[in-house]
Amino acid sequence: MSTLRRRRYVLAALFVAVALLTAAILWEVVEVVFFAITVAYVLYPVRQRLVDRGTSRRIASALVTTLAFVVVVVLFSPIVWTLFRQRDAILQLFRNLPEEITVEAFGFVVTQETAELVATATEIVRDIASTLAFSSIFLLLELGMFTILLYGLLLRPNAVGRAAFEITPPQYHDVLRALNSRISGTLYALYVIQAATAVVTFPIALVVFYILGYSDVVVLSVISAILQFIPIVGPGVLAVGLAGYDFVIGMPDRAVGIIVLGPLLIGLLPDLLVRPRLASSQAHLPASLYFVGFTGGVLTVGVIGIIAGPLAVAVLVEVVDLLSDGGAPAEDD
């Protein structure tokens, strides 16, 4: 082994050690760092197009970072503000439940008191509203850190890639390219397609809930948009919950309407409108694998599991595909 290559391996080991130490020290903000890295991965092609058209690297990185900042604020501010402002309406929704729910089926009668359920739900809603109010300053600091880190990553995006190719033997470069393609496609599916689907879901849900006569159409539409990020389940679970609520309070017609129109228009229609136009072969992510990664990621590492879980499963699938091809290296372009 040459002295230069041995030096590179030592530096790579040092990098891993320092990275692990840094992650341990900055664990409280690891979510912000992770999201900044993955968002930079998705936005890099946009930045590169600007550079190819003659824009300087700094200006291109600043423009793309500003765009990402505006998108984050536009998408999440209405959601947070709506949930905080409409907390009383959500609480009133629970208070309107009858004191007892009686279900009759196959000759059996089951009666369930709702007082404990209402008390628990009320406490959860109040805790969420209080957390949003008291954590606003920390959310702003995290947003600022996310913006600065994203700019830095876009300004020098190729350093890690070049280092990876330097310390990896040439016969394994095709593996790095395959993993890079799978990661970029998966992140595109997770961020771009899911976000676009959620944006399209909001106005459709707004119309459906308004036609069916619900009072808190904005809140329900926001929740429907958020649920689009949950694979397989999606807004359908909200439709089932609303249908059960309407049935209990004596509105069977509206219950039938939401159980039919909810999954069809709110759940399925946005997918049909968005995915065929944005999906590509690289962004293909089977729903079953998405669900496994999403659920396992959230249960294991919390909120970053929304992205980290499906991403880990996608990388695993790519490695399995490479092994199924016999492990032979691909020819370099």
Side-chain angles (χ1 to χ4, degrees):
M1 182 185 295
S2 66
T3 304
L4 179 59
R5 183 162 294 277
R6 184 182 297 110
R7 174 182 171 82
R8 288 171 178 169
Y9 286 151
V10 172
L11 289 175
L14 180 62
F15 167 76
V16 172
V18 173
L20 292 176
L21 177 62
T22 304
I25 296 174
L26 303 180
W27 184 253
E28 291 299 325
V29 294
V30 68
E31 297 169 353
V32 179
V33 176
F34 175 82
F35 283 121
I37 293 173
T38 53
V39 169
Y41 215 110
V42 174
L43 294 180
Y44 170 73
V46 180
R47 175 261 193 196
Q48 193 59 33
R49 288 183 183 180
L50 293 175
V51 173
D52 293 340
R53 293 181 179 180
T55 308
S56 69
R57 292 188 302 112
R58 292 185 180 277
I59 295 178
S61 301
L63 289 175
V64 175
T65 302
T66 302
L67 174 63
F69 177 84
V70 172
V71 169
V72 169
V73 172
V74 169
L75 286 180
F76 288 97
S77 293
I79 295 174
V80 174
W81 183 250
T82 299
L83 293 178
F84 178 74
R85 292 279 296 181
Q86 298 293 329
R87 63 190 185 280
D88 292 335
I90 298 175
L91 293 176
Q92 188 61 38
L93 187 69
F94 290 113
R95 295 192 186 102
N96 289 337
L97 286 171
E99 296 181 356
E100 293 183 347
I101 298 177
T102 302
V103 179
E104 299 183 11
F106 305 104
F108 295 95
V109 179
V110 178
T111 302
Q112 177 65 47
E113 296 184 357
T114 62
E116 184 176 352
L117 174 63
V118 171
T120 302
T122 300
E123 188 66 25
I124 292 174
V125 173
R126 286 176 175 169
D127 288 344
I128 293 175
S130 299
T131 301
L132 290 176
F134 289 114
S135 301
S136 57
I137 184 64
F138 298 103
L139 293 175
L140 291 175
L141 289 175
E142 289 180 348
L143 181 59
M145 190 178 88
F146 169 84
T147 304
I148 295 173
L149 183 57
L150 179 60
Y151 173 76
L153 291 169
L154 290 174
L155 187 61
R156 297 193 61 189
N158 297 321
V160 176
R162 285 197 300 267
F165 273 91
E166 285 292 333
I167 65 175
T168 304
Q171 60 267 32
Y172 295 104
H173 285 182
D174 64 307
V175 176
L176 296 181
R177 295 190 186 96
L179 292 177
N180 175 72
S181 177
R182 173 70 73 165
I183 291 173
S184 61
T186 302
L187 290 176
Y188 178 85
L190 292 173
Y191 278 117
V192 179
I193 296 180
Q194 289 301 115
T197 304
V199 170
V200 173
T201 298
F202 179 79
I204 296 176
L206 201 67
V207 173
V208 172
F209 289 132
Y210 178 78
I211 292 175
L212 292 177
Y214 287 97
S215 57
D216 304 308
V217 294
V218 175
V219 176
L220 295 176
S221 300
V222 169
I223 295 175
S224 298
I226 295 174
L227 289 175
Q228 282 290 7
F229 285 90
I230 301 180
I232 298 178
V233 178
V237 67
L238 177 62
V240 172
L242 290 174
Y245 174 81
D246 289 337
F247 181 79
V248 168
I249 64 175
M251 301 184 67
D253 294 339
R254 193 169 73 174
V256 174
I258 190 60
I259 203 64
V260 173
L261 298 179
L264 183 62
L265 297 182
I266 302 176
L268 182 60
L269 184 58
D271 278 340
L272 297 178
L273 292 175
V274 173
R275 291 186 185 275
R277 290 169 172 78
L278 293 181
S280 65
S281 58
Q282 288 186 341
H284 178 65
L285 190 65
S288 57
L289 295 181
Y290 184 13
F291 181 76
V292 171
F294 178 94
T295 305
V298 171
L299 293 177
T300 304
V301 295
V303 67
I304 62 174
I306 296 174
I307 303 297
L311 185 60
V313 173
V315 172
L316 175 62
V317 170
E318 183 61 34
V319 175
V320 172
D321 288 343
L322 292 172
L323 289 174
S324 65
D325 293 336
E331 294 183 0
D332 290 340
D333 294 336

